[in-house]
Amino acid sequence: MSFNPNDVDLDTVDPVDVICYLNAAENEYNGHLGARISAIFVIFIVSTAVTFFPVIAKRVPRLHIPLYVYLFARYFGAGVIIATAFIHLLDPAYGEIGPQTCVGMTGHWADYSWCPAIVLTSLMCIFLLDFGAERYVEVKYGICREDPEPIMTSAADNSSVTKDAATSRRKNETDTESLTSSEAWIERSFKQQIAAFLILEFGVIFHSVIIGLNLGVVGDEFSTLYPVLVFHQSFEGLGIGARMSAIPFRKGSWLPWVLCALYGLTTPISVAIGLGLRTTYNSGSFTANVVSGVLDAISAGILIYTGLVELMARDFLFDPHRTQDNKRLTFMVLCMLFGAGIMALIGKWA
């Protein structure tokens, strides 16, 4: 017998029927096609430009980007990624497939709290991939993390290769050997970091697809969601670009530009797909909630691991070459907190 919301006996009604009725939604598209089409181009141009900025700041030194501008971009972006994991992914995942939702109270979804299980599985898989990639590089090059190798400082320090204790012990080696060792370090560092970065971008792109589809079909909330998502995607792009700028790509490599463009294109393409489905796609349907909830939970696990391990822990706690300048460290931490705070605030609307 179908649920009749106008005839409910609180003593006998199945709570699942009530929750599913309250959560049910219909297609809310209400026009404004021109504005929605403009969102495709505005989000693409703004988010792509912001994503490219940290990469350009590092790879085009003749622009003379001030050190603290680069640091702001890098660590503000780190804060954005961390807030995205918890506020924009984990919380919506619970709202879509959590225990108190229609999905979470229906069928086998009700047998277990699947949302945190998916997050945990995603996080552990990313850890294993990251660890496996790092160990592969160590074995291939025959060196471990603690082995003394030439240290390449970041572009933010505007300095070249420094000499460590091992270099001084090998000061009588030929110049050719010393360049060789620098190239080996760069290759090793690149292979260790690129795997983690690709995982990060993969998680962010999942999220971008969902919000792009929703922007194409949302109803009265469109006028608020449009500008909010421009900032949302720009801040996430800044985080992507900032993290990419720290990876020692080979000079002339096309990969960072392609990866930046890939992020910039994802949401506009998803908005376009949403517009194509604007009269049929229902973001509140049971199936849409399952798909969106699972993808959000997977992405949350990816970004929680990346944000806490790859960004916060690696840059601030375990980096042996972290700057000792307290002024710079304070600025870096405040930028990260500011980025997390701003992105958490945006979570009120999107």
Side-chain angles (χ1 to χ4, degrees), residues 151-174:
I151 306 303
M152 296 292 292
T153 57
S154 68
D157 295 326
N158 294 320
S159 58
S160 59
V161 180
T162 60
K163 295 182 179 180
D164 60 2
T167 304
S168 66
R169 289 196 299 269
R170 297 195 299 265
K171 62 183 178 180
N172 293 325
E173 294 180 354
T174 64

Side-chain angles (χ1 to χ4, degrees), residues 88-275:
H88 295 264
L89 291 171
L90 185 60
D91 184 60
Y94 269 98
E96 291 156 342
I97 61 173
Q100 302 304 314
T101 66
C102 178
V103 174
M105 299 174 71
T106 304
H108 291 296
W109 287 98
D111 295 340
Y112 189 74
S113 186
W114 289 105
C115 184
I118 295 171
V119 173
L120 177 63
T121 302
S122 172
L123 189 152
M124 288 300 181
C125 288
I126 299 310
F127 160 71
L128 292 174
L129 287 172
D130 193 21
F131 176 67
E134 180 127 343
R135 185 59 186 151
Y136 169 78
V137 172
E138 289 175 349
V139 171
K140 179 177 179 180
Y141 286 91
I143 47 179
C144 293
R145 181 185 298 274
E146 294 79 9
D147 284 350
E149 288 291 332
I151 306 303
M152 296 292 292
T153 57
S154 68
D157 295 326
N158 294 320
S159 58
S160 59
V161 180
T162 60
K163 295 182 179 180
D164 60 2
T167 304
S168 66
R169 289 196 299 269
R170 297 195 299 265
K171 62 183 178 180
N172 293 325
E173 294 180 354
T174 64
D175 290 339
T176 301
E177 291 174 336
S178 177
L179 292 167
T180 300
S181 98
S182 295
E183 292 175 357
W185 182 91
I186 292 174
E187 185 71 13
R188 172 199 178 199
S189 180
F190 170 77
K191 290 186 176 180
Q192 286 176 325
Q193 294 185 55
I194 191 62
F197 173 79
L198 291 175
I199 291 168
L200 167 64
E201 183 161 22
F202 180 70
V204 172
I205 283 178
F206 261 175
H207 178 48
S208 298
V209 169
I210 298 300
I211 63 176
L213 285 172
N214 289 339
L215 184 63
V217 300
V218 72
D220 295 335
E221 297 177 359
F222 173 77
S223 58
T224 300
L225 197 59
Y226 182 178
V228 168
L229 286 188
V230 172
F231 286 102
H232 181 285
Q233 291 306 102
S234 298
F235 290 156
E236 277 191 356
L238 190 61
I240 290 287
R243 190 60 191 167
M244 197 185 312
S245 70
I247 300 175
F249 291 96
R250 288 184 177 276
K251 186 176 181 180
S253 173
W254 50 266
L255 191 55
W257 312 110
V258 171
L259 292 174
C260 284
L262 179 63
Y263 169 78
L265 285 168
T266 300
T267 300
I269 290 175
S270 298
V271 174
I273 294 173
L275 288 177

